Amino acid sequence: MSSVRLTKSRVERLTPATREYSVQDTMVPSLSVRVYPSGTKTWVSTISGRKIALGKNIVMSLDDARQACLRRHVEGIAPRRDVPVYQAFVLNMWRPTWSTRCKLTTVKGRDFVLTRQLLPTFGVFRLDRITRKVIDDWFDAYSGVAPGGANFALQILRQSLNHALERDLIAINPACSVRSNRRPKMTRFLSRDEIRRLNAALDQYVEEPYSAQADIIRLLLLTGCRKMEIVGLKRREVADQRLRLEDSKTGPRTVYLSPEAQVVIERRLIASGLYGEYVFPSLRNPERPLSKNLNLWYRIRRDIGIEDVRLHDLRHSYASQCVMAGVPLPVVSRLLGHSQCSMTLRYAHVADKDIANAAERIGTRMVAFLNGE
């Protein structure tokens, strides 16, 4: 921590860095300004080793911050609530704020991270004793095993400590300045030839236990649905040449079926019999859906030479074909069931060639106008 006589202009000139840092005031040594990577600047009072956030500089002036800091020295540190350990805070104060509002799959995902990573690592720490170093050591070790999992766990840790910050249980959130692991972009589109080879390979599997898996893969490509939206599809969700999904990732939504997709659905309704809840029932227990582990996919992609393609990339391929066919992005967003149109922008570059050609045609037309033709 550097020290300088703070002035209003000096504080305003402080620029954010990749990590948060503090500058101590030499006039009132127990006062410092903490600068976050986001650009936020907060006055912090340090008394007897305890850091207390006084307020943001855009709300509290430097003079007011110095007076508040000195007043704390004279009056003593105001009594505070006992700071709980992380496990008690998470289970009793933070988790109840979201566990009843989130989807069951979201709750299970967060609870998995809590029980496997965060509670075993930070559970016994008092909230104000969870330091940047403690977080760095855990994050570096976990990143060496599962970089993506470490990123998700760090996100959950940040959210929980933000709640502690809002409740004035800690002065800063040490997880905010920890940088997530860089992850490669995973978007992959099937070419026209790859789609043709995939379809030909699926045609080879007309008998159980693989015909159901083959039809699921076909529907993923023909509808752009997520895997579990098709694997867990219920008979009552099929109606009027469309799927009325009761509980997708973004909530209830309607999927409009092409004639080809309708043929596949009708075939599966007949194959699954007149009874049962699921369009793709388990062969062992018809009261349950087919397993989500579609082993046929790994066999097919190896056979046709597309081992770098994930099953989810069939959804990307559906979206890319929509864009290249000239379907407006807001419509593509509705087809995919995105909660925000901005999520669909990743596919905008697919039509760059078409846009370039359009720009060339428009330019030629404008030149003709300028020349009076």
Side-chain angles (χ1 to χ4, degrees), residues 5-16 21 23 33 35 39-41 43 57-58 60-62:
R5 187 179 185 279
L6 294 178
T7 63
K8 179 181 178 181
S9 60
R10 279 177 173 169
V11 172
E12 290 176 346
R13 287 197 301 269
L14 293 175
T15 58
Y21 65 94
V23 178
V33 59
V35 183
T40 300
K41 300 169 186 175
W43 303 115
N57 77 307
I58 59 174
M60 176 181 285
S61 68
L62 173 59

Side-chain angles (χ1 to χ4, degrees), residues 95 98 103-113 115:
R95 190 179 182 279
W98 53 263
K103 293 183 60 176
L104 181 59
T105 52
T106 301
V107 174
K108 287 182 176 180
R110 290 183 176 183
D111 282 347
F112 181 84
V113 171
T115 56

Side-chain angles (χ1 to χ4, degrees), residues 57-95:
N57 77 307
I58 59 174
V59 176
M60 176 181 285
S61 68
L62 173 59
D63 288 340
D64 289 341
R66 281 174 173 154
Q67 291 176 14
C69 193
L70 292 172
R71 189 162 54 248
R72 287 182 179 274
H73 274 287
V74 173
E75 299 174 355
I77 300 176
R80 66 172 179 179
R81 292 166 289 178
D82 290 334
V83 178
V85 297
Y86 184 74
Q87 179 165 326
F89 164 76
V90 164
L91 299 180
N92 301 325
M93 300 175 68
W94 179 60
R95 190 179 182 279

Side-chain angles (χ1 to χ4, degrees), residues 86 127 130 157-165 170 173-175:
Y86 184 74
L127 288 174
I130 299 177
L157 179 62
R158 284 174 181 160
Q159 292 173 358
S160 63
L161 292 181
N162 275 337
H163 187 68
L165 188 62
I170 55 177
N173 182 346

Side-chain angles (χ1 to χ4, degrees), residues 101-107 109-110 152 155 224-234 237 244-255 310 312 315-316 333-340 343-344 346-347:
R101 296 184 292 104
C102 295
K103 293 183 60 176
L104 181 59
T105 52
T106 301
V107 174
R110 290 183 176 183
F152 183 59
Q155 177 185 345
C225 284
R226 301 174 180 89
K227 180 176 73 172
M228 292 311 299
E229 292 174 344
I230 298 300
V231 172
L233 183 64
K234 299 179 176 65
E237 294 176 313
R244 299 186 183 277
L245 302 180
E246 299 171 352
D247 187 25
S248 70
K249 183 178 179 180
T250 54
R253 76 182 185 97
T254 299
V255 177
R310 303 168 305 154
H312 194 69
R315 177 173 164 86
H316 297 319
S333 181
R334 288 288 302 277
L335 289 171
L336 295 176
H338 283 162
S339 58
Q340 298 177 348
M343 299 174 66
T344 319
R346 75 178 81 176
Y347 305 110

Side-chain angles (χ1 to χ4, degrees), residues 231-354:
V231 172
L233 183 64
K234 299 179 176 65
R235 298 176 70 94
R236 65 173 179 267
E237 294 176 313
V238 181
D240 301 326
Q241 301 176 353
R242 65 195 70 181
L243 307 179
R244 299 186 183 277
L245 302 180
E246 299 171 352
D247 187 25
S248 70
K249 183 178 179 180
T250 54
R253 76 182 185 97
T254 299
V255 177
Y256 294 87
L257 300 174
S258 65
E260 294 77 12
Q262 293 175 36
V263 169
V264 177
I265 290 291
E266 290 172 3
R267 180 167 64 237
R268 297 320 308 179
L269 289 175
I270 295 173
S272 61
L274 299 177
Y275 305 100
E277 184 179 9
Y278 297 97
V279 176
F280 295 93
S282 167
L283 297 178
R284 295 183 177 180
N285 182 2
E287 298 303 316
R288 297 182 62 83
L290 194 69
S291 170
K292 64 181 180 180
N293 298 319
L294 304 179
N295 298 325
L296 178 62
W297 170 249
Y298 301 100
R299 177 187 298 185
I300 285 180
R301 71 175 191 174
R302 181 181 64 248
D303 291 344
I304 65 176
I306 56 169
E307 291 188 87
D308 63 323
V309 178
R310 303 168 305 154
L311 198 60
H312 194 69
D313 290 327
L314 301 184
R315 177 173 164 86
H316 297 319
S317 299
Y318 173 86
S320 68
Q321 291 300 320
C322 287
V323 174
M324 287 189 287
V327 179
L329 284 180
V331 178
V332 178
S333 181
R334 288 288 302 277
L335 289 171
L336 295 176
H338 283 162
S339 58
Q340 298 177 348
C341 193
S342 58
M343 299 174 66
T344 319
L345 291 178
R346 75 178 81 176
Y347 305 110
H349 72 279
V350 174
D352 284 351
K353 183 177 179 181
D354 295 333

